[in-house]
Coordinates of all heavy atoms in Angstrom, one line a residue:
M1 N 5.5 18.8 2.8 CA 6.7 19.5 2.7 C 6.6 20.7 3.5 O 5.8 21.6 3.2 CB 7.0 19.7 1.2 CG 8.5 20.2 1.0 SD 8.7 20.5 -0.8 CE 9.7 19.3 -1.2
T2 N 7.6 21.1 4.3 CA 7.5 22.3 5.0 C 8.6 23.3 4.3 O 9.4 23.0 3.7 CB 8.2 22.0 6.4 OG1 9.5 21.7 6.3 CG2 7.3 21.1 7.2
R3 N 8.1 24.6 4.6 CA 8.9 25.6 3.8 C 9.9 26.1 4.8 O 9.8 26.2 6.0 CB 7.8 26.8 3.7 CG 8.4 27.7 2.9 CD 7.1 28.8 2.5 NE 8.0 29.7 1.7 CZ 7.2 30.7 1.0 NH1 6.0 30.8 1.2 NH2 7.9 31.6 0.4
P4 N 11.1 26.4 4.2 CA 12.3 26.8 5.0 C 12.0 28.0 5.7 O 11.2 28.9 5.3 CB 13.4 27.0 4.1 CG 12.8 26.8 2.6 CD 11.4 26.3 2.8
A5 N 12.6 28.4 6.8 CA 12.3 29.5 7.6 C 13.0 30.8 6.9 O 14.1 31.3 7.4 CB 12.8 29.3 9.0
T6 N 12.4 31.2 6.0 CA 13.0 32.4 5.3 C 12.0 33.6 5.4 O 12.2 34.6 4.7 CB 13.2 32.2 3.7 OG1 11.9 31.7 3.1 CG2 14.3 31.1 3.5
S7 N 11.0 33.4 6.2 CA 10.0 34.5 6.3 C 10.7 35.8 6.8 O 11.4 35.7 7.9 CB 8.8 34.1 7.0 OG 9.2 33.7 8.3
G8 N 10.4 36.8 6.3 CA 11.1 38.1 6.9 C 12.6 38.3 6.5 O 13.1 39.3 6.8
R9 N 13.0 37.5 5.7 CA 14.3 37.8 5.3 C 14.7 38.9 4.4 O 15.5 39.6 4.6 CB 14.9 36.5 4.4 CG 16.2 36.7 3.8 CD 16.7 35.5 2.9 NE 17.1 34.4 3.9 CZ 17.5 33.1 3.5 NH1 17.5 32.9 2.2 NH2 17.8 32.4 4.3
F10 N 13.6 39.2 3.5 CA 13.9 40.4 2.8 C 13.7 41.7 3.6 O 14.5 42.6 3.5 CB 12.7 40.5 1.7 CG 12.8 41.7 0.8 CD1 13.8 42.0 -0.1 CD2 11.8 42.8 1.1 CE1 13.7 43.1 -0.9 CE2 11.7 44.0 0.4 CZ 12.8 44.1 -0.7
M11 N 12.7 41.5 4.6 CA 12.6 43.0 5.4 C 13.7 43.1 6.4 O 14.2 44.2 6.6 CB 11.2 42.7 6.3 CG 11.0 43.7 7.2 SD 10.4 45.2 6.5 CE 8.8 44.8 6.2
R12 N 14.3 42.0 6.9 CA 15.5 42.1 7.7 C 16.7 42.5 6.9 O 17.5 43.4 7.4 CB 15.8 40.7 8.3 CG 15.0 40.3 9.5 CD 15.4 39.3 10.3 NE 16.0 38.0 9.6 CZ 15.2 37.1 9.0 NH1 14.0 37.0 9.4 NH2 15.7 36.1 8.4
G13 N 16.8 42.2 5.7 CA 18.0 42.5 4.8 C 17.8 44.0 4.5 O 18.7 44.8 4.4
L14 N 16.5 44.5 4.2 CA 16.3 45.9 3.9 C 16.7 46.8 5.1 O 17.4 47.9 5.0 CB 14.9 46.0 3.4 CG 14.6 47.4 2.7 CD1 15.4 47.8 1.6 CD2 13.0 47.5 2.4
S15 N 16.1 46.3 6.2 CA 16.3 47.1 7.3 C 17.9 47.1 7.8 O 18.3 48.0 8.4 CB 15.5 46.6 8.5 OG 15.8 45.3 8.9
G16 N 18.6 46.0 7.5 CA 20.0 46.0 7.8 C 20.7 47.0 6.9 O 21.7 47.6 7.4
V17 N 20.4 47.0 5.7 CA 21.0 48.0 4.8 C 20.7 49.5 5.4 O 21.6 50.4 5.4 CB 20.4 47.9 3.4 CG1 20.9 49.1 2.5 CG2 21.0 46.6 2.8
A18 N 19.5 49.8 5.7 CA 19.2 51.1 6.3 C 19.9 51.3 7.6 O 20.4 52.5 7.8 CB 17.7 51.1 6.6
A19 N 20.1 50.4 8.4 CA 20.7 50.5 9.7 C 22.2 50.8 9.3 O 22.9 51.8 10.0 CB 20.8 49.4 10.7
G20 N 22.9 50.1 8.4 CA 24.3 50.3 8.0 C 24.4 51.8 7.4 O 25.5 52.5 7.6
G21 N 23.4 52.1 6.6 CA 23.4 53.4 6.0 C 23.4 54.5 7.0 O 24.2 55.6 6.9
L22 N 22.7 54.4 8.1 CA 22.5 55.4 9.2 C 23.9 55.4 9.9 O 24.4 56.7 10.2 CB 21.5 55.1 10.1 CG 20.1 55.4 9.7 CD1 19.0 54.9 10.7 CD2 20.0 57.0 9.5
V23 N 24.5 54.4 10.1 CA 25.9 54.2 10.7 C 27.0 55.1 9.8 O 27.7 55.8 10.2 CB 26.3 52.8 11.2 CG1 27.7 52.8 11.6 CG2 25.4 52.3 12.2
A24 N 26.8 54.7 8.5 CA 27.9 55.2 7.5 C 27.6 56.8 7.5 O 28.6 57.5 7.5 CB 27.6 54.6 6.2
L25 N 26.4 57.2 7.5 CA 26.1 58.7 7.5 C 26.6 59.2 8.8 O 27.2 60.4 8.6 CB 24.6 58.8 7.2 CG 24.0 60.2 7.2 CD1 24.8 61.0 6.0 CD2 22.6 60.3 7.1
F26 N 26.5 58.7 9.8 CA 27.0 59.3 11.1 C 28.4 59.5 11.0 O 28.9 60.5 11.5 CB 26.4 58.6 12.4 CG 27.1 58.9 13.7 CD1 26.8 60.2 14.2 CD2 28.0 58.2 14.2 CE1 27.4 60.6 15.4 CE2 28.6 58.6 15.4 CZ 28.3 59.8 16.0
V27 N 29.2 58.4 10.5 CA 30.6 58.4 10.4 C 31.0 59.5 9.6 O 32.0 60.3 9.8 CB 31.2 57.1 10.0 CG1 32.6 57.3 9.6 CG2 30.9 56.1 11.1
V28 N 30.4 59.8 8.4 CA 30.8 60.6 7.5 C 30.4 62.2 8.1 O 31.2 63.1 8.1 CB 29.8 60.7 6.1 CG1 30.0 61.9 5.3 CG2 30.4 59.4 5.4
L29 N 29.3 62.4 8.7 CA 29.0 63.6 9.5 C 30.1 63.9 10.6 O 30.5 65.0 10.7 CB 27.7 63.6 10.0 CG 26.5 63.8 9.0 CD1 25.2 63.5 9.8 CD2 26.6 65.1 8.4
L30 N 30.5 62.8 11.4 CA 31.6 62.9 12.2 C 32.9 63.4 11.8 O 33.5 64.4 12.2 CB 31.7 61.7 13.2 CG 32.4 61.7 14.4 CD1 31.9 62.7 15.4 CD2 32.5 60.4 15.1
V31 N 33.2 62.8 10.5 CA 34.6 63.2 10.0 C 34.4 64.6 9.4 O 35.4 65.4 9.6 CB 34.9 62.1 8.9 CG1 36.1 62.8 8.0 CG2 35.3 60.9 9.5
G32 N 33.2 64.9 8.9 CA 33.1 66.3 8.3 C 33.1 67.3 9.4 O 33.6 68.4 9.3
W33 N 32.4 67.0 10.4 CA 32.5 67.9 11.8 C 33.9 68.1 12.2 O 34.3 69.3 12.7 CB 31.6 67.3 12.8 CG 31.6 68.3 14.1 CD1 30.9 69.4 14.3 CD2 32.3 67.9 15.2 NE1 31.0 69.8 15.5 CE2 32.1 69.1 16.2 CE3 33.3 66.9 15.6 CZ2 32.6 68.9 17.4 CZ3 33.7 67.1 16.8 CH2 33.5 68.1 17.6
T34 N 34.7 67.1 12.3 CA 36.1 67.1 12.8 C 36.9 68.0 11.8 O 37.7 68.9 12.3 CB 36.8 65.7 12.9 OG1 35.8 64.9 13.7 CG2 38.1 65.8 13.3
L35 N 36.7 67.9 10.5 CA 37.5 68.6 9.6 C 37.1 70.0 9.6 O 38.0 70.9 9.6 CB 37.4 68.1 8.3 CG 38.0 66.7 8.0 CD1 37.6 66.2 6.6 CD2 39.5 66.7 8.2
T36 N 35.8 70.3 9.6 CA 35.4 71.8 9.5 C 35.7 72.5 11.0 O 35.8 73.6 11.0 CB 33.9 71.7 9.3 OG1 33.2 71.0 10.3 CG2 33.6 71.3 7.9
T37 N 35.6 71.6 12.0 CA 36.2 72.4 13.3 C 37.4 72.7 13.3 O 37.9 73.8 13.9 CB 35.8 71.4 14.6 OG1 34.5 71.1 14.5 CG2 36.2 72.0 15.7
R38 N 38.3 71.9 12.8 CA 39.8 72.2 12.7 C 40.1 73.5 11.8 O 40.9 74.2 12.0 CB 40.6 71.1 12.3 CG 40.6 69.9 13.2 CD 41.4 68.9 12.8 NE 41.5 67.7 13.8 CZ 42.4 66.9 13.9 NH1 43.4 66.8 13.1 NH2 42.3 66.0 14.9
T39 N 39.4 73.5 10.7 CA 39.6 74.6 9.8 C 38.7 75.9 10.0 O 39.1 77.0 9.3 CB 39.4 74.2 8.3 OG1 37.9 73.8 8.2 CG2 40.2 72.9 8.0
G40 N 37.8 75.8 10.9 CA 37.0 76.9 11.2 C 35.9 77.2 10.2 O 35.1 78.1 10.1
S41 N 35.7 76.2 9.3 CA 34.6 76.3 8.3 C 33.4 75.9 8.9 O 33.2 75.4 10.1 CB 34.9 75.4 7.1 OG 36.1 75.6 6.5
A42 N 32.2 76.1 8.1 CA 30.8 75.8 8.6 C 30.6 74.5 8.3 O 31.2 73.9 7.3 CB 29.8 76.7 7.8
G43 N 30.1 73.6 9.2 CA 29.8 72.3 9.0 C 28.5 71.8 9.8 O 27.8 72.6 10.1
P44 N 28.5 70.5 9.9 CA 27.3 70.0 10.8 C 27.4 70.4 12.2 O 28.5 70.5 12.7 CB 27.4 68.5 10.4 CG 28.8 68.1 10.1 CD 29.3 69.4 9.5
G45 N 26.2 70.6 12.6 CA 26.1 71.2 14.1 C 26.1 70.0 15.0 O 25.9 68.9 14.7
T46 N 26.0 70.3 16.2 CA 26.2 69.4 17.3 C 24.9 68.6 17.3 O 24.7 67.5 17.6 CB 26.4 70.1 18.6 OG1 27.5 70.9 18.6 CG2 26.5 69.1 19.9
G47 N 23.7 69.4 17.2 CA 22.4 68.6 17.1 C 22.3 67.7 16.1 O 21.7 66.7 16.3
M48 N 22.8 67.9 14.9 CA 22.7 67.0 13.7 C 23.6 65.9 14.1 O 23.1 64.7 13.9 CB 23.2 67.7 12.4 CG 23.2 66.7 11.3 SD 23.7 67.5 9.7 CE 22.0 67.9 9.2
L49 N 24.8 66.1 14.8 CA 25.5 64.8 15.1 C 25.0 64.1 16.1 O 24.9 62.9 16.1 CB 26.9 65.4 15.7 CG 28.0 65.9 14.6 CD1 29.2 66.4 15.5 CD2 28.3 64.6 13.8
V50 N 24.4 64.6 17.1 CA 23.8 63.9 18.2 C 22.5 63.2 17.7 O 22.4 62.0 18.0 CB 23.2 64.8 19.4 CG1 22.5 64.2 20.5 CG2 24.5 65.3 20.1
G51 N 21.8 63.8 17.0 CA 20.5 63.0 16.4 C 20.9 61.9 15.4 O 20.3 60.8 15.7
H52 N 21.9 62.1 14.6 CA 22.3 60.9 13.7 C 23.0 59.8 14.5 O 22.7 58.6 14.2 CB 23.2 61.4 12.6 CG 22.4 62.2 11.5 ND1 22.0 63.4 11.5 CD2 22.2 61.6 10.1 CE1 21.4 63.7 10.4 NE2 21.6 62.7 9.7
G53 N 23.7 60.2 15.5 CA 24.4 59.3 16.3 C 23.3 58.3 17.2 O 23.4 57.2 17.2
L54 N 22.4 59.1 17.8 CA 21.3 58.3 18.5 C 20.5 57.4 17.6 O 20.1 56.4 18.0 CB 20.4 59.3 19.3 CG 21.0 60.0 20.5 CD1 20.1 61.1 21.0 CD2 21.4 59.0 21.5
A55 N 20.2 58.0 16.4 CA 19.4 57.3 15.5 C 20.1 56.0 14.9 O 19.6 54.9 14.9 CB 18.9 58.1 14.2
A56 N 21.4 56.2 14.7 CA 22.2 55.0 14.3 C 22.3 54.0 15.4 O 22.2 52.8 15.0 CB 23.6 55.5 13.9
A57 N 22.6 54.4 16.7 CA 22.6 53.4 17.6 C 21.4 52.7 17.8 O 21.3 51.5 18.1 CB 23.0 54.2 19.0
A58 N 20.2 53.3 17.9 CA 19.0 52.7 18.0 C 18.7 51.8 16.9 O 18.1 50.7 17.1 CB 17.8 53.8 18.2
A59 N 19.0 52.2 15.6 CA 18.7 51.4 14.5 C 19.7 50.0 14.5 O 19.2 48.9 14.2 CB 19.2 52.2 13.1
V60 N 20.9 50.1 15.0 CA 21.7 48.9 15.2 C 21.0 48.1 16.2 O 21.0 46.8 16.0 CB 23.2 49.3 15.6 CG1 24.0 48.2 16.1 CG2 23.7 50.0 14.3
V61 N 20.6 48.5 17.4 CA 20.1 47.7 18.4 C 18.8 47.0 17.9 O 18.6 45.7 18.1 CB 19.8 48.6 19.8 CG1 18.9 47.9 20.7 CG2 21.1 49.0 20.4
A62 N 17.9 47.8 17.3 CA 16.8 47.2 16.7 C 17.0 46.2 15.6 O 16.4 45.1 15.7 CB 15.8 48.3 16.2
Q63 N 18.0 46.4 14.9 CA 18.4 45.4 13.9 C 19.0 44.2 14.4 O 18.8 43.0 14.0 CB 19.5 46.0 13.0 CG 19.9 45.1 11.7 CD 18.7 44.8 10.9 OE1 17.8 45.6 10.7 NE2 18.6 43.5 10.3
V64 N 19.8 44.2 15.6 CA 20.3 43.0 16.2 C 19.1 42.1 16.8 O 19.1 41.0 16.6 CB 21.3 43.4 17.3 CG1 21.7 42.2 18.3 CG2 22.5 44.0 16.7
V65 N 18.1 42.9 17.3 CA 17.0 42.1 17.8 C 16.3 41.4 16.6 O 15.9 40.4 16.8 CB 16.0 43.1 18.6 CG1 14.7 42.3 18.9 CG2 16.8 43.5 19.8
A66 N 16.1 42.2 15.6 CA 15.3 41.6 14.4 C 16.2 40.5 13.8 O 15.6 39.4 13.4 CB 15.2 42.7 13.3
D67 N 17.4 40.4 13.8 CA 18.2 39.3 13.3 C 18.2 38.1 14.2 O 18.4 37.0 13.7 CB 19.6 39.9 13.1 CG 19.8 40.8 11.9 OD1 18.9 40.8 11.0 OD2 20.7 41.4 11.7
R68 N 18.1 38.3 15.4 CA 18.2 37.2 16.3 C 16.8 36.5 16.6 O 16.7 35.4 17.1 CB 18.7 37.7 17.7 CG 20.2 37.9 17.5 CD 20.8 38.3 18.8 NE 22.3 38.5 18.4 CZ 23.3 38.8 19.3 NH1 22.8 38.8 20.6 NH2 24.5 39.1 19.1
R69 N 15.7 37.2 16.3 CA 14.4 36.6 16.5 C 13.8 36.4 15.1 O 14.0 36.8 14.2 CB 13.6 37.6 17.4 CG 14.1 37.8 18.7 CD 13.3 38.7 19.6 NE 12.0 38.1 19.9 CZ 11.4 38.3 21.0 NH1 11.7 39.1 21.9 NH2 10.3 37.6 21.2
R70 N 12.6 35.5 15.3 CA 12.0 35.1 14.1 C 10.5 35.2 14.3 O 9.6 34.5 13.6 CB 12.2 33.7 13.7 CG 13.7 33.4 13.3 CD 14.0 34.1 11.9 NE 15.4 33.7 11.6 CZ 16.4 34.7 11.7 NH1 16.1 35.8 12.1 NH2 17.6 34.2 11.3
D71 N 10.1 36.1 15.3 CA 8.6 36.2 15.5 C 8.0 37.7 15.1 O 8.7 38.3 14.4 CB 8.2 36.0 17.0 CG 9.2 36.8 17.9 OD1 10.0 37.5 17.3 OD2 9.0 36.6 19.1
G72 N 7.0 38.0 15.6 CA 6.5 39.4 15.3 C 7.4 40.5 15.9 O 7.3 41.6 15.2
V73 N 8.0 40.3 17.0 CA 9.0 41.3 17.4 C 10.0 41.6 16.2 O 10.4 42.8 16.1 CB 9.6 40.9 18.6 CG1 10.7 41.9 19.2 CG2 8.6 40.7 19.8
A74 N 10.6 40.6 15.6 CA 11.5 40.8 14.5 C 11.0 41.6 13.5 O 11.6 42.6 12.9 CB 12.1 39.5 14.0
T75 N 9.8 41.5 13.1 CA 9.1 42.3 12.0 C 8.9 43.7 12.5 O 9.1 44.6 11.7 CB 7.7 41.7 11.7 OG1 7.9 40.3 11.3 CG2 7.0 42.5 10.5
L76 N 8.5 43.8 13.7 CA 8.3 45.2 14.3 C 9.7 46.0 14.4 O 9.8 47.2 14.0 CB 7.7 45.3 15.7 CG 6.2 44.9 15.7 CD1 5.8 44.7 17.1 CD2 5.4 45.9 15.0
C77 N 10.7 45.3 14.8 CA 12.0 45.9 14.9 C 12.4 46.3 13.5 O 13.2 47.5 13.4 CB 13.1 45.1 15.6 SG 12.7 44.9 17.2
S78 N 12.3 45.4 12.5 CA 12.6 45.8 11.1 C 11.9 47.0 10.7 O 12.5 48.0 10.0 CB 12.5 44.5 10.1 OG 13.3 43.7 10.5
L79 N 10.7 47.1 10.8 CA 9.8 48.2 10.5 C 10.3 49.5 11.1 O 10.3 50.5 10.6 CB 8.4 47.9 10.7 CG 7.7 47.0 9.7 CD1 6.2 46.7 10.2 CD2 7.6 47.5 8.4
G80 N 10.6 49.3 12.5 CA 11.2 50.5 13.2 C 12.5 50.9 12.7 O 12.5 52.2 12.6
V81 N 13.4 50.2 12.3 CA 14.5 50.7 11.6 C 14.2 51.4 10.4 O 14.8 52.5 10.1 CB 15.5 49.4 11.3 CG1 16.7 49.9 10.5 CG2 16.1 48.8 12.6
L82 N 13.4 50.8 9.5 CA 13.0 51.5 8.3 C 12.3 53.0 8.6 O 12.7 53.9 7.9 CB 12.1 50.7 7.4 CG 12.8 49.4 7.0 CD1 11.8 48.5 6.3 CD2 13.9 49.6 6.0
V83 N 11.4 52.9 9.5 CA 10.8 54.2 9.9 C 11.7 55.2 10.5 O 11.8 56.3 10.0 CB 9.5 53.9 10.8 CG1 9.0 55.2 11.5 CG2 8.4 53.2 10.2
L84 N 12.7 54.7 11.2 CA 13.6 55.6 11.8 C 14.5 56.1 10.7 O 14.8 57.4 10.8 CB 14.4 54.8 12.8 CG 15.5 55.6 13.7 CD1 14.8 56.7 14.4 CD2 16.3 54.6 14.5
A85 N 15.0 55.4 9.8 CA 15.8 55.9 8.7 C 15.1 56.8 8.0 O 15.7 57.9 7.7 CB 16.3 54.7 7.8
I86 N 13.8 56.6 7.6 CA 13.0 57.6 6.9 C 12.8 59.0 7.6 O 13.0 59.9 7.0 CB 11.6 57.0 6.4 CG1 11.9 55.9 5.4 CG2 10.8 58.0 6.0 CD1 10.7 55.0 5.1
L87 N 12.6 58.8 8.8 CA 12.4 60.0 9.7 C 13.7 60.8 9.7 O 13.5 62.1 9.7 CB 11.9 59.7 11.1 CG 10.5 59.2 11.2 CD1 10.2 58.8 12.7 CD2 9.6 60.3 10.8
V88 N 14.9 60.2 10.0 CA 16.2 60.9 10.0 C 16.4 61.5 8.7 O 16.8 62.8 8.7 CB 17.2 60.0 10.5 CG1 18.6 60.6 10.2 CG2 17.1 59.5 11.9
L89 N 16.3 60.8 7.6 CA 16.6 61.4 6.3 C 15.6 62.5 6.0 O 16.1 63.5 5.5 CB 16.6 60.4 5.3 CG 17.6 59.2 5.4 CD1 17.5 58.2 4.3 CD2 19.1 59.8 5.3
C90 N 14.4 62.5 6.3 CA 13.5 63.4 5.8 C 13.6 64.7 6.8 O 13.6 65.9 6.5 CB 12.0 62.9 5.9 SG 11.5 61.8 4.6
G91 N 13.7 64.4 8.1 CA 13.9 65.3 9.2 C 15.1 66.2 9.0 O 14.9 67.4 9.2
Y92 N 16.2 65.6 8.7 CA 17.5 66.4 8.7 C 17.8 66.9 7.3 O 18.6 67.9 7.1 CB 18.5 65.6 9.3 CG 18.6 65.4 10.8 CD1 18.3 64.5 11.5 CD2 19.0 66.6 11.5 CE1 18.3 64.3 12.9 CE2 19.1 66.7 12.9 CZ 18.6 65.5 13.6 OH 18.8 65.4 14.8
W93 N 17.4 66.1 6.3 CA 17.9 66.5 5.1 C 17.0 67.0 4.0 O 17.3 67.6 3.1 CB 18.5 65.2 4.3 CG 19.7 64.6 5.2 CD1 19.7 63.8 6.1 CD2 21.0 65.3 5.1 NE1 21.0 63.7 6.7 CE2 21.8 64.6 6.1 CE3 21.7 66.2 4.3 CZ2 23.2 64.7 6.2 CZ3 23.1 66.3 4.5 CH2 23.7 65.7 5.4
L94 N 15.6 66.7 4.3 CA 14.6 67.3 3.3 C 13.9 68.6 3.8 O 13.5 69.3 3.0 CB 13.6 66.1 3.0 CG 14.1 64.9 2.1 CD1 12.8 64.0 1.8 CD2 14.6 65.4 0.7
F95 N 13.8 68.5 5.1 CA 12.9 69.6 5.6 C 13.7 70.6 6.5 O 14.6 70.2 7.3 CB 11.7 69.1 6.4 CG 10.8 68.4 5.5 CD1 10.7 67.1 5.8 CD2 10.1 68.9 4.4 CE1 9.9 66.2 4.9 CE2 9.3 68.2 3.6 CZ 9.2 66.7 3.8

């Protein structure tokens, strides 16, 4: 009896949530930047927007690769998304 091809499903799901979270965070920052720019208030800077945007784009690309493949590359891409999300969150929000 062969086992169904579900290896890596949890990892791909977790990295998909992380990639979606990075995209959602970027959208929230973009809206916040737009609102604070119009009102003249302090808000997220350009560096934060660019960093989050690039990280979100890279995470989505890596997640698409992870979803379409079923080999070691998929695992590496899923791990890359998770590491990228951790780096962005720690780098911009904790330190």
Side-chain angles (χ1 to χ4, degrees):
M1 181 184 259
T2 61
R3 190 171 182 174
T6 59
S7 63
R9 177 182 278 177
F10 177 75
M11 180 71 78
R12 285 193 315 271
L14 187 62
S15 64
V17 169
L22 284 174
V23 171
L25 182 58
F26 173 66
V27 170
V28 167
L29 285 172
L30 190 60
V31 169
W33 177 80
T34 303
L35 293 175
T36 57
T37 300
R38 289 183 181 200
T39 62
S41 305
T46 306
M48 183 175 261
L49 281 176
V50 169
H52 280 79
L54 290 174
V60 168
V61 169
Q63 185 61 37
V64 167
V65 172
D67 285 340
R68 292 188 179 181
R69 295 185 67 150
R70 297 288 183 258
D71 54 0
V73 174
T75 304
L76 287 176
C77 285
S78 292
L79 284 173
V81 170
L82 294 174
V83 168
L84 186 61
I86 290 169
L87 287 174
V88 167
L89 293 176
C90 289
Y92 280 106
W93 295 96
L94 291 180
F95 303 110

